[in-house]
Amino acid sequence: MNAVSMNNLWNYIQGLSLTASNRKWLAEKLIEPEKKEVMSDQEIKEGLTEAFSQLDGIKQGKVKTRSAEELLYEL
């Protein structure tokens, strides 16, 4: 985020009428470290093994799949 955007955000935040609990919540969110979820090598290996297993099942006709249209309607 560039300086102009950050200044605009700061001005917006200052213009809000926040309760003490809202201010506390906002302060905690602003100083909260960004959580980056990293998968372990083992988790990646297990995920790939499962994916390839499912692909094999599809090729052998043991696993039924849905069309892309059905998946979109689910969303």
Side-chain angles (χ1 to χ4, degrees):
M1 184 178 280
N2 63 35
V4 173
S5 297
M6 290 179 65
N7 284 332
N8 288 337
L9 178 59
W10 180 244
N11 289 332
Y12 173 76
I13 291 171
Q14 286 180 316
L16 297 174
S17 54
L18 300 173
T19 64
S21 64
N22 290 143
R23 287 176 188 256
K24 182 180 178 187
W25 178 89
L26 181 58
E28 289 172 355
K29 292 298 178 187
L30 289 173
I31 61 171
E32 186 176 86
E34 186 177 327
K35 296 176 184 175
K36 293 185 180 180
E37 206 169 303
V38 179
M39 292 175 66
S40 69
D41 290 346
Q42 184 62 32
E43 289 172 319
I44 294 170
K45 183 179 177 184
E46 289 170 359
L48 288 172
T49 301
E50 176 64 24
F52 287 125
S53 174
Q54 289 180 7
L55 285 173
D56 286 341
I58 291 167
K59 287 179 183 178
Q60 296 171 4
K62 296 178 181 177
V63 176
K64 184 181 178 204
T65 61
R66 295 182 283 173
S67 68
E69 190 174 73
E70 288 175 313
L71 291 172
L72 287 174
Y73 283 125
E74 186 177 312
L75 297 175

